[in-house]
Amino acid sequence: MNSSHQAQGTIFPAPNFNPIMDAQMLGGALQGFGCDKDMLISILTQRCNSQRLMIAEAYQNMYGRDLIGDLKEKLSDHFKDVMVGLMYSPPSYDAHELWHAMKGVGTEENCLIDILASRTNGEIFQMREAYCLQYGSNLQEDIYSETSGHFRDTLMNLVQGSREEGYTDPAMAAQDAMVLWEACQRKTGEHKTMLQVILCNKSYQQLWLVFQEFQNISGQDIVDAINECYDGYFQELLVAIVLCVRDKPAYFAYRLHSAIHDFGFHNKTVIRILIARSEIDLMTIRKRYKERYGKSLFHDIKNFASGHYEKALLAICAGDAEDY
């Protein structure tokens, strides 16, 4: 089944960590006109998130200034996005990404899909809280006003964070599979609702059984069935949920590959996935990427990015293990 229990990140707590010394070094790197970008990379990508938050606190005490504010002021372009992104706690970073995906002209649906299809109940609760604290706004209400149709209904269901956990009922799996199969045949509004309710609320373990039963009943893979029957963002979101249930690192490998190759290196997506998954499963994502696409993620980033931006992304990928 899902190999998430052995998933591995690329960033770990630094041994002999000294936040005060790091804050001093960063202060020096950010002084004056120039800016020692190599120093920023060597400190911020080589500390885990909780250590970076302690550095920010030490920095604030030492200089009376906000480290995120100073990074924003001193840096530019994608390099800035990476360095600033590293300074948010995971829930705050998700909140930050969702806010920016919705607040401009138009909505960045792929960002909503990536985040809401893949996060656990706990991650969703913390993200909603962070969103409210950071933006004085309600995540559910914002999603409701920025999206529409069955795509919206499914996101609204996911953002509840009410998926069953660890629960399986094999007898129910065949029934659920029948409902999914019928929903793919009939495609009425009511059927779309039944489809998303099962995909958003059943446990990963249960859905694993449901997808096997679906294959038995229909002779078809659930992803192929969804792709045939539905379209637009609704279809993309449903497929994302299925892929996350099956193998989350493989889902992110697919999203990275598509961001790099189908969208001419879609920077926002690449940055978001690398930062958000760095302490969860990025090393496993690199493995899946290499297995599936033949080229390493490391190689593809090297190919498309450049300068300190490239250096920072590769540092988050951890070392030049070309094999991944």
Side-chain angles (χ1 to χ4, degrees), residues 11 48 67 75 147 187 255 273:
I11 293 180
C48 70
L67 179 53
L75 307 175
T147 56
K187 301 186 237 188
R255 288 290 300 129
I273 294 174

Side-chain angles (χ1 to χ4, degrees), residues 85-97:
L86 287 168
M87 295 309 304
Y88 288 98
S89 70
S92 297
Y93 187 57
D94 279 347
H96 171 272
E97 292 296 291

Side-chain angles (χ1 to χ4, degrees), residues 118-134:
S118 65
R119 301 305 192 252
T120 63
N121 289 351
E123 288 167 338
I124 285 169
F125 282 115
Q126 290 184 298
M127 164 205 314
R128 288 201 323 236
E129 214 170 281
Y131 191 92
C132 186
L133 281 170
Q134 277 158 243

Side-chain angles (χ1 to χ4, degrees), residues 37 41 71 75-86 93 264-272 275 304-313 316:
K37 293 182 181 141
I41 293 171
L71 290 168
L75 307 175
S76 58
D77 303 327
H78 303 309
F79 181 64
K80 173 177 84 175
D81 297 336
V82 177
M83 291 294 117
V84 169
L86 287 168
Y93 187 57
F265 210 83
H266 193 262
N267 295 287
K268 276 184 180 169
T269 304
V270 174
I271 293 169
R272 180 176 61 248
I275 291 179
F304 286 92
S306 61
H308 285 94
Y309 173 47
E310 174 199 335
K311 255 191 188 165
L313 292 180
I316 295 168

Side-chain angles (χ1 to χ4, degrees), residues 1 88 111 133 138 156 164 182 188 192 207 243 252 269 275 279 286 289-290 297 318:
M1 202 198 131
Y88 288 98
C111 172
L133 281 170
N138 179 298
M156 291 302 286
E164 291 170 352
E182 209 178 291
T188 68
K192 287 181 185 174
L207 286 173
L243 296 178
F252 284 116
T269 304
I275 291 179
E279 290 181 44
R286 288 183 64 176
Y289 193 98
K290 175 76 180 198
L297 177 60

Side-chain angles (χ1 to χ4, degrees), residues 88-115:
Y88 288 98
S89 70
S92 297
Y93 187 57
D94 279 347
H96 171 272
E97 292 296 291
L98 290 170
W99 169 258
H100 288 280
M102 293 189 283
K103 85 170 188 97
V105 179
T107 302
E108 234 187 293
E109 285 85 359
N110 275 321
C111 172
L112 303 185
I113 293 172
D114 270 354
I115 292 177

Side-chain angles (χ1 to χ4, degrees), residues 24-88:
Q24 262 170 338
M25 304 285 272
L26 288 174
L30 291 165
Q31 289 300 307
F33 292 115
C35 170
D36 186 345
K37 293 182 181 141
D38 290 312
M39 173 73 76
L40 297 183
I41 293 171
S42 74
I43 293 176
L44 296 181
T45 66
Q46 304 306 308
R47 308 287 182 270
C48 70
N49 187 263
S50 58
Q51 290 176 332
R52 286 182 219 120
L53 299 181
M54 289 163 76
I55 294 170
E57 205 178 322
Y59 188 93
Q60 177 76 50
N61 294 338
M62 199 176 287
Y63 301 103
R65 289 200 311 273
D66 174 44
L67 179 53
I68 288 186
D70 283 0
L71 290 168
K72 280 182 176 168
E73 190 186 317
K74 289 282 185 178
L75 307 175
S76 58
D77 303 327
H78 303 309
F79 181 64
K80 173 177 84 175
D81 297 336
V82 177
M83 291 294 117
V84 169
L86 287 168
M87 295 309 304
Y88 288 98

